[in-house]
Amino acid sequence: GAAAANDVQYISAINTLCKGESCLLRLDNGPGDVTAIDEGHLSQHGSEYFIQKIRTDLLSGLAAPHNAQ
């Protein structure tokens, strides 16, 4: 795919926030604790949670050597 051809790693929000057909919708019971504001955009709290979950993958990708061209 395009990501592999350009040495880019794609991290799926769906794979991170969903298990099977069940997705995380709320982080707590407060009005601002929803994970998304619509079907394509994470809320602020949802974004922070997503980054926390993928932080290790992001940091290891930054530390990995890149192919010189």
Side-chain angles (χ1 to χ4, degrees):
N6 292 296
D7 194 27
V8 175
Q9 180 183 3
Y10 173 75
I11 301 173
S12 169
I14 292 174
N15 290 346
T16 303
L17 300 175
C18 302
K19 298 216 183 302
E21 293 192 23
S22 177
C23 295
L24 181 65
L25 299 177
R26 300 188 69 80
L27 298 168
D28 207 345
N29 290 325
D33 294 326
V34 294
T35 57
I37 56 173
D38 60 29
E39 68 182 41
H41 298 91
L42 294 174
S43 66
Q44 179 177 341
H45 289 132
S47 296
E48 292 167 354
Y49 179 82
F50 176 61
I51 293 298
Q52 178 184 14
K53 298 301 270 184
I54 65 168
R55 178 178 308 202
T56 301
D57 291 339
L58 288 175
L59 295 177
S60 67
L62 291 174
H66 296 279
N67 296 331
Q69 295 186 6

